[in-house]
């Protein structure tokens, strides 16, 4: 700055030396003011520079530059705050018993943990003669069945299940129709279970719950391919001893081994009747392809698994088969197989078979057989079309004539697998020979049904 100002003065100017000296003094004054301003700025910037030097390392100096001075040590860190009080252990937190206020819903201070709630519904109608079941000349809505499901965990290893069901046969009164099972409207507690889930390999469930014995009872009507439960096509039922809706009062120990490759279930039940002997019931299931874990079961996995599952079950009850004064112990053994295979393109095929042998008195079913084949197409529209055929046969102990058999041919439209489907079934049944007229008794029907599961 100084050079540029002095050079801008012309050397040939005619001004006096006094003027030149005045300019020179002015320049010196400006230079002193500039030096003062620079010095003041350096004084103000020194604390910031020191702080910057503590946080950011300076660039490495040139090789011939002297080493920089060692930075001042950082200020001492403040003493740490006192440690927080340790939280109570899990045992201490869970050992405290609840108060009456905490257990009463109206005065409970905390919100209950979330529970699962669901509604399952089936509605069916049937074309069949009322006075002559061999004819298809009448129509009725034969049932509207609903289940309400609620359950959840109240502890990491303890759960509660409460399911209610109701079946309406006549919408307003007792039924006189022999083709409507139960003969009247019903509403009941289906499941009331406390489940202790200690390990995958060991669970203890107690209350009013499913009797483990065969695949059909484990799947129930919602998760099997046919509309009607097997074994009830003739007046003589050919099914294991269970109870209303396949349930009974008792306890079951069960577990999944190797992730569900092997599942065992064993239970004891008394139907809350101290006057009867306990019913012992159990089942073992082996899955050879995809695993099949869990207490419940399916008659089909609707294209979700490649499954080859084999199960065996059995039951025993002292004095369990009694007619009048004749007494006999009840026993039952069964074996079943389910093969289901996915087909490229989104379809699947299902083959199922089951055999039962019952230790009973004359007049009851001593043997029963069921075989089923079904095929589900790839998606057509919004779902899968699934035709099915099922054959059932039973032997009446002591019977000298023909034994009853049944053939069902059905087609389902699976909009959302078992959660939303419609089905039409043609059923033909041979009931044996009428001893009075010496004619073969037959039954024919066309049944339409729809089911939906909200979960």
């Amino acid at each position: 700055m100084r050079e540029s100002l002095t050079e801008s003065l012309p050397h040939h100017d005619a001004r006096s030396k006094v003027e030149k000296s005045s300019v020179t003094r002015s320049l010196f004054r400006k230079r002193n003011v500039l030096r003062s301003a620079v010095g003041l700025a350096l004084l103000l910037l020194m604390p910031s520079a020191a702080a910057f030097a503590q946080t950011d390392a300076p660039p490495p100096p040139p090789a011939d530059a002297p080493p920089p001075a060692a930075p001042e040590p950082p200020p001492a860190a403040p003493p740490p705050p006192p440690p927080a009080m340790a939280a109570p252990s899990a045992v201490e937190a869970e050992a405290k018993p609840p108060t009456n206020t905490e257990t009463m819903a109206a005065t409970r201070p905390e919100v209950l943990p979330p529970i699962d709630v669901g509604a399952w519904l089936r509605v069916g109608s049937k074309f069949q003669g009322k006075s002559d079941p061999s004819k298809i000349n009448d129509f009725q809505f034969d049932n509207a069945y609903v289940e309400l499901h609620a359950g959840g965990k109240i502890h990491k290893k303890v759960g509660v299940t409460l399911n209610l069901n109701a079946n309406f046969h006549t919408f307003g009164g007792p039924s006189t129709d022999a083709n409507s099972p139960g003969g009247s409207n019903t509403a009941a507690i289906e499941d009331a279970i406390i489940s202790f889930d200690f390990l995958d390999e060991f669970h203890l469930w107690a209350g009013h719950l499913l009797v483990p014995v065969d695949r059909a009872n484990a799947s129930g009507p919602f998760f099997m391919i046919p509309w009607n439960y097997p074994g009830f096509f003739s007046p003589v039922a050919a099914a294991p001893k269970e109870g209303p809706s396949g349930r009974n009062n008792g306890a079951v120990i069960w577990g999944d081994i190797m992730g569900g490759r092997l599942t065992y279930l064993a239970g004891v039940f008394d139907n809350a009747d101290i006057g009867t002997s306990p019913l012992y019931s159990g089942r073992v299931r082996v899955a050879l392809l995809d695993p099949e874990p869990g207490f419940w079961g399916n008659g089909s996995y609707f294209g979700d698994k490649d499954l080859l599952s084999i199960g065996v079950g059995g039951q025993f009850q002292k004095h369990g088969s009694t007619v009048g004064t004749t007494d006999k112990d009840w026993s039952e053994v069964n074996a079943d197989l389910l093969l289901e295979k996915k087909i490229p393109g989104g379809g699947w095929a299902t083959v199922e078979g089951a055999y039962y042998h019952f230790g009973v008195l004359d007049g009851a079913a001593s043997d029963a057989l069921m075989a089923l084949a079904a095929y589900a197409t790839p998606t057509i529209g919004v779902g899968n079309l699934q035709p099915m055929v099922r054959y059932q046969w039973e032997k009446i102990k002591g019977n000298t004539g023909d034994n009853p058999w049944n053939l069902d041919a059905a087609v389902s439209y699976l909009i959302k697998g078992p959660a939303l489907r419609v089905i039409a079934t043609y059923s033909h049944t041979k009931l044996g020979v009428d001893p009075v007229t010496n004619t073969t008794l037959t039954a024919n029907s066309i049944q339409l049904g729809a089911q939906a599961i909200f979960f």
Side-chain angles (χ1 to χ4, degrees):
M1 177 69 71
R2 181 181 56 138
E3 293 178 354
S4 61
L5 287 174
T6 54
E7 289 176 357
S8 65
L9 296 175
H11 296 287
H12 58 275
D13 199 315
R15 287 179 247 183
S16 65
K17 294 181 179 180
V18 177
E19 291 174 321
K20 291 181 181 180
S21 62
S22 176
V23 172
T24 302
R25 286 194 300 272
S26 177
L27 292 173
F28 287 152
R29 283 196 298 271
K30 291 179 180 180
R31 184 176 61 183
N32 292 334
V33 172
L34 181 60
R35 287 177 177 174
S36 300
V38 172
L40 181 59
L42 291 175
L43 290 175
L44 294 175
L45 292 174
M46 284 181 64
S48 299
F52 179 80
Q54 293 178 10
T55 57
D56 295 285
D64 56 350
E72 296 181 3
M85 295 182 63
S89 66
V91 175
E92 294 172 345
E94 296 180 4
K96 178 182 176 297
T99 65
N100 202 13
T101 298
E102 292 170 339
T103 57
M104 293 295 178
T107 57
R108 188 178 295 114
E110 296 181 359
V111 179
L112 279 172
I115 62 174
D116 293 327
V117 178
W120 302 7
L121 177 65
R122 284 163 57 93
V123 177
S125 61
K126 182 163 57 177
F127 292 88
Q128 187 178 41
K130 185 176 181 65
S131 58
D132 185 356
S134 66
K135 297 180 179 180
I136 305 176
N137 59 2
D138 205 348
F139 172 80
Q140 64 171 331
F141 283 99
D142 60 337
N143 76 314
Y145 178 76
V146 63
E147 295 183 6
L148 298 179
H149 292 242
K153 290 288 189 181
I154 61 173
H155 183 277
K156 184 171 64 174
K157 295 186 180 296
V158 181
V160 172
T161 298
L162 176 61
N163 300 331
L164 311 177
N165 67 0
N167 200 4
F168 301 93
H169 296 293
T170 58
F171 299 99
S175 173
T176 59
D177 184 359
N179 296 318
S180 295
S184 63
N185 300 338
T186 59
I189 294 176
E190 182 179 29
D191 295 294
I193 309 169
I194 297 179
S195 54
F196 298 91
D197 303 307
F198 302 110
L199 299 168
D200 288 344
E201 294 80 8
F202 184 77
H203 305 254
L204 171 61
W205 288 16
H208 188 71
L209 72 165
L210 192 80
V211 177
V213 60
D214 64 345
R215 180 173 293 276
N217 199 41
S219 65
F222 283 92
F223 294 92
M224 62 174 58
I225 298 175
W227 181 256
N228 295 313
Y229 194 85
F232 290 90
F233 62 92
S234 78
V236 181
K241 189 182 288 285
E242 294 156 358
S245 302
R247 271 73 172 175
N248 209 312
N249 287 5
V252 175
I253 58 172
W254 68 278
D256 290 318
I257 299 173
M258 296 182 293
R261 302 286 181 182
L262 172 65
T263 301
Y264 71 90
L265 306 101
V268 57
F269 304 88
D270 68 357
N271 203 29
D273 185 357
I274 197 171
T276 62
S277 300
L279 169 68
Y280 301 95
S281 185
R283 174 172 170 80
V284 176
R285 185 176 66 222
V286 179
L288 301 178
L289 297 178
D290 288 345
E292 192 183 13
F295 176 83
W296 312 99
N298 279 33
S300 171
Y301 286 87
F302 298 91
D304 189 53
K305 290 178 181 285
D306 284 330
L307 196 71
L308 176 56
S309 183
I310 302 171
V312 293
Q315 293 184 321
F316 177 80
Q317 185 179 28
K318 192 75 173 174
H319 312 296
S321 181
T322 301
V323 177
T325 59
T326 306
D327 178 79
K328 180 179 175 61
D329 295 340
W330 163 270
S331 62
E332 183 271 342
V333 293
N334 66 80
D336 56 73
L337 178 145
L338 177 62
L339 171 63
E340 194 158 77
K341 193 78 173 71
K342 302 176 191 177
I343 297 175
W348 65 92
T350 307
V351 175
E352 183 182 4
Y355 172 76
Y356 300 82
H357 176 74
F358 307 95
V360 293
L361 295 169
D362 287 353
S366 62
D367 296 272
L369 176 70
M370 186 275 290
L372 176 149
Y375 167 73
T377 67
T379 301
I380 299 175
V382 295
N384 306 91
L385 202 62
Q386 186 180 48
M388 176 222 77
V389 60
R390 179 180 66 175
Y391 174 77
Q392 298 182 82
W393 169 88
E394 66 181 39
K395 179 181 179 182
I396 307 301
K397 188 173 183 180
N399 184 25
T400 58
D402 296 335
N403 288 298
W405 59 269
N406 164 263
L407 182 66
D408 291 326
V411 59
S412 299
Y413 191 56
L414 308 172
I415 302 169
K416 196 177 179 182
L420 183 58
R421 69 165 176 161
V422 294
I423 183 173
T425 305
Y426 169 72
S427 181
H428 176 74
T429 305
K430 290 285 188 178
L431 297 172
V433 177
D434 186 340
V436 177
T437 63
N438 200 30
T439 59
T440 301
L441 299 176
T442 62
N444 296 286
S445 67
I446 296 176
Q447 191 163 34
L448 306 177
Q451 75 178 39
I453 301 175
F454 172 79
F455 58 96

